[in-house]
Amino acid sequence: MNRILVLFCMTWIALLPSVGMAQIDGEFVKPRTGKFLLKNATVVTVTKGTLSNASVLLENGKIIGVGASLPSEGAEIIDCSGLFIYPGMIDGGTRLGLVEVSSVPETVDYSDVGNVTPNMQALTTVNPNSEAIGVTRVSGVTTVLTVPSGGLFPGTAALINLNGYTPDQMYGGFKAVAMTFPSSGRRGRFDRRSEEDIKEDGEKALKEANEIWDNAKSYLELKKSGAELSYFPEMEQLSKVLSGELPLLIEVNAASDILSAIQWVEGKNIKVIFTGVAEGWRVAEQIAKAKIPVVTGPVQDLPTRQSDRYDTPYANAGKLAKAGVKVALRTDEEENVRNLPFHAAFAAAYGLGKEEAWKAVTINPAEIFGVADQYGSVEVGKKANLIVSTGDPFETRSQILHVFIDGYRIPLSNRHIRLYQEFLERSPGLKAN
Amino acid sequence: MMIFGWVMQVSWAQSDPSGKRRVTSSFAITNATVIKSPGDIGSKATVLFKDGIITGIGAGLSIPKDAKVISGDSLFVYPAFIDGGSNIGISEPMDDESTKDFNSSNPPDELAGITPWRMATDFYSSASNEVDEWRKVGFAMSQVIPEGGMLPGKTALVSLGDPKNIAIIQANVAMAANFRGSRGMYPGTVAGVMAKFRDVYQNSILALEHEKLFASVAGVKRPQTTPTQLAMAPVVQKQLPILFTANSELEARRAISLQKELGFKLILTGLENYESVIDLIKSSGTSVMIKLQVPDDKAIKSQKEEGVTEATKAQYARVKEAYDQSLKQAANLEKAGVSFGFSTLDTKASNVHKALSTMIANGLSEKAALAALTTNPASVLGISRIAGTLEKGKLANLILTTEPLFKESSQIKHVIVDGYVFDYEVKKKSNSAPNSSATPENSENSVEGVWDYVSETPAGSSGGEITIKKENGVLGGSISYDDPAGSGKASAPIKNVTVTGKNLKFEFDVSAGGMSFTVTVSGEVNGKSMEGTLSLPQMGSFPFNATLSSPSQLN
Amino acid sequence: MKKLFYLLLAFFGLGCNFSQAQVQKGSVLIKNATVLTVTKGNLESADVLVQNGIITQIGKNITAPTGVQAIDATGKYLMPGIIDAHSHVALDVVNEASAPITSEVRMKDVVNPFEIGIYRALAGGVTVSHAMHGSANVVGGQNATLKHRWGAKDPADIIMQDAPRTIKFALGENPTRVHGRGNGIQPRSRMGVEAVIRNGFNEALQYKKAWETYAAAKNTKGNTLTPPAYNERLQTLADILDGKIIIHCHSYRADEIYMLINVAKDFNIKKLVFQHTNEGFKVAPEIAEYTMGASVFADWWAYKMEVYYSTAFNAAILQRNGAITSINSDSAELIRHLYHEAAKTQRYGGLTDDEALAMITINPAKQLGIEDKVGSIEVGKQADLVIFDSHPLSSYAVPQMTFVDGIKYFDVVADKDDQRQLVSATEMVEPIFLRANEEAHRCMQDVEIFLDAFDVAFLKEKH
């Protein structure tokens, strides 16, 4: 039996109260909070270096101590000798919780009808019980930005912690309005538009975006002047971007579009985050100069052009960082957000370096999203989002042994794991009847 | 230039109130430079043809009395072109309606683009504009391919001649084939097409076996040969070649691999990119008709020199390299020793001259180019006996050009198809001299120098040089012209040269056949060009244009 | 020596068919690498000698024969070329989606050696891929096993000519959607899928018999029997029944996997591999007992209903139950890091290094019937090799060089960036393809026409 299974079993036996109800067998392990002392680990704080033989004390959802000798009174002690503690990872762009089975339209909720729907709230539709959430968090990804997509202003993204029974319990304190910047790229193999048509479509879309922007500007100005405006939820939400209340997440990927987006943003005096930025490496200097932070990914992706070197998507984050851009990573995934550490590893191996790669999935997204006081490192006072692993969590051979989200100790189980437990040694095995 | 004396003939028993019927089917092109076949350097000769057949070529041939003479002076005569594969004049078959029990996984052949029984002749119209367009650029014959799916039908060889004539030369030349699937049914893709092709082929063989057995043994069940199998019989018996349209290297390979597998006779047509299959074409002995087209140079021309990154420059270089390589393909085909023809499928007639001159500029020999337009397709199509070169007894399909065929400025003045003469307008040359320094103030001086002229006469255009100079205060000089006797240029002094304002007028004497005429030329001079008329007594006036090619430096 | 070898080849006609004559073979000595043989353990600081495309010696202190280049791989890892048992790279057509059975269709007819995906796969250490027909049909076309000889212009030069025939089958949502729901013909249900397969095999038996009867009668005196219609579709199915073709069956749910095992038993079919097999873990003992195993994704799930009840521990469960298990890509993107996909079996189920590496080398080789030629570093095998800078199961591993038949086709340092073989002479601006990941999944390419608009909108080009 392998290590991980042993660990599951140990956890189960320890927690198993005797249950004697008919039709129900065994016990469900729930997330639970309390005071925990994670003892004698190597603590990778990300922001304050790596501490050997250090402990981390958690209480009331917060990290209340990081150091060599911490008081253990009242705390459940978890021996972490030989283990590593990292901050929980943050995925800067996903559709987690917004979709259950992507080919079944009834379960797809990240996109609504209309081109300008900034009032659509991702947080509303997050399904706290999505199977994908349980599958994701055991990988060490504890927090994600979940983003609507589709039209020009598809909706408002929300930062969520991967624990909780209601969206509000999950909410991580950051929202932003998403924008799909008019694109000069092809949407896929079936996009057979001529070069002229693509250009024309792009210009038309930008013109429309400007008109809508002007509309929102008028809305804000009139509102500020105390005018009684008729109900217009789209403009209401968009005006929050103009007023600086909400940042704008601009999805932009082709190099020329990135340059237009930089130009478009100029003088608007709004908070902007670029997302995607697949061809960012081509214009890294300009992005750095514009001081716009970037959430890039997926890292494991194909080059955008046939002529591009095979590893351009792997190397993109590294090149952006080298140019001075603040970079966070994303998977842009729904069910496989769990691969974030591996995307980070590829970025690390192809130029970003391990240390920067760690920042790109912890403190950088926290800073970009303005929640660095709560997230992104193992520091006293921050939210107790952290993981304990047997080694570098970016390596597939490492096992994540404990996950804490919001101070809750998360049971290391989900449907994938339960199926493993049931079917590894199926009974009956091979026999008819 | 002097020959306007067309022979009046006794009228036929039938009248033609339109007045358009030609009066004779006998013609003589006199004193032209005749290039009989690819590689021929050309020599002055007279070409005689009657009833659509060349009846004689050579110097010093006597001109039959019934022959209408076309002055070939200064013109070049070539065999007319043969198009190895086109859809000139072809209309699409009507869409078939789906049958009631249509099953997309097993549609009837007709819906699935398998219509080998169809014949291009049924869809060809000689009155189509395309016929005139292509004839105008020199084509007298074309193998026309029916429209349709993977096996659209049989090609035909047609004459791009007078619409009143029967165009079909040969009805079943080849079986056309495409790698084109049928939308929404089997076979839908090139993968399906290849599988279905094998199926059709093998079952056509079996159908023949069945028929053979039925014919010789009693008690054999009646054969139920399908129209497809029936039509494919000559293909599987290797009597009728397959004409596969293959644009790319991969398509060419696919066609050749089917050929190797099944053994049919194969001709490839419409080849656009074939650099990497040249060796295979050569080793497999496949006949090919390459697309008479060169790639658009828009992308090359739009490449900027400045303000672009190194990466963009590298990309440009790749496109340029691809472009250059594409232009050299024909030359490389020649170098490999492959005889090829041209196909005009999906090309424009107006681009032909450019395509040819570009291929030649990139290494294709003029000989090979002409062969690809004439003898090679004739050979592949099995019509070398009647077409491809200028020889006595062959079809009177020829073209007359103002200059050697592949010269940039060369223009086609006549195309003769089946002995019918089609005249085309020849644009005047605008070879204005460099450093124009004409002084219009002194109009008299401005006419001095050497002029090139062209005169349009019913027999065609003719030209030469005029030298005007002032001697002892009097304007005089000489003119050269195509000798009516048919031996190159003759020359005569000009007289009575007068300049009145912008008008220049002069005369000269010409003798022909023991007679002497005085020719009058008059026209308006503007800078270095002159537009006017050339008049012959009792014959009328004809357009005359001249350009001062080297103004006199004496003043 | 070399000349003699060729003479011998020619004399005995050993594999010297038309297309192989073109294939380049190389000689090279790779020195001081950590050699991960996969089948025979790991060798520290060992040398591997390749001569004329074949591994001829493995050991220490081998000296390079004259004319053979030596590559110093000190501190680096050498493993067998990665084999992808499920790919659609280098195919011009993926689905002939027009009929529920299209066994006559051959992917070898539509191989495109110019596709950049081949080079990108090489850059991920993949030397052999199984270019499969798509999953639109219950019985799809015959697949092509490719060797990634990048730069070849003739498709025949990248087809592994000595690999056995394989064919694509597909169960579940895709064929029922395309044919039943899209086109109103069977199958519309998993019952129908079984019926289509059984009908096909039974017809094939009749077909075979008809030809046997005809062949026997043909030359007898006074024969009145005429040849039956030629039908490559049925002939191919008959070839499957005769054990000449390996079935590679797209499948997800346990019930349908079990169904095909039963069909295979009924028709005495032994050569059967399951592809994707997301619920293979539920019938792992049956797969292990009756089939050539399963080729699975490392972690794909939930993109459609039939993969919702999946587990990333699938490969580990199959492996532990004794099924031959491989990890495949089915994607132009994933094929570039199969070493990493295989490594996920260590996260999800704790497989050993050798077990994990076997899933992208010797195991897929077994499933493709080429395990005697490739899939491990052994003397006598074809020299398909990859050098990594660190252990290939590390997430930080970067492939350095990839060899096929001893010829180096990828070099992380020496290769130029722009690897396109075909460049359009008329292209003003190179197209930019965003969301390229969607491009990568081509299992359902070429089927749009057969689906209604609603389905197309949700066809995310995943399987």
Side-chain angles (χ1 to χ4, degrees), chain A residues 38 116 160 167 178 181 202 223 234 242 294 340 382 388 409 420:
Chain A
L38 313 181
V116 183
I160 54 170
F181 199 79
K223 197 178 151 192
E234 288 83 4
L242 279 108
V294 161
L340 181 68
K382 286 202 178 181
V388 180
R409 182 176 176 172
Y420 176 60

Side-chain angles (χ1 to χ4, degrees), chain C residues 16 28 30 94 102 125 135 143 153 198 231 241 265-266 289 361 368 432:
Chain C
C16 254
V28 67
I30 296 162
V94 176
T102 55
S135 53
N143 311 311
K153 291 178 164 51
R198 286 185 184 273
N231 191 323
L241 297 175
K265 280 196 225 164
D266 290 352
E289 178 73 12
T361 53
L368 298 175
I432 299 166

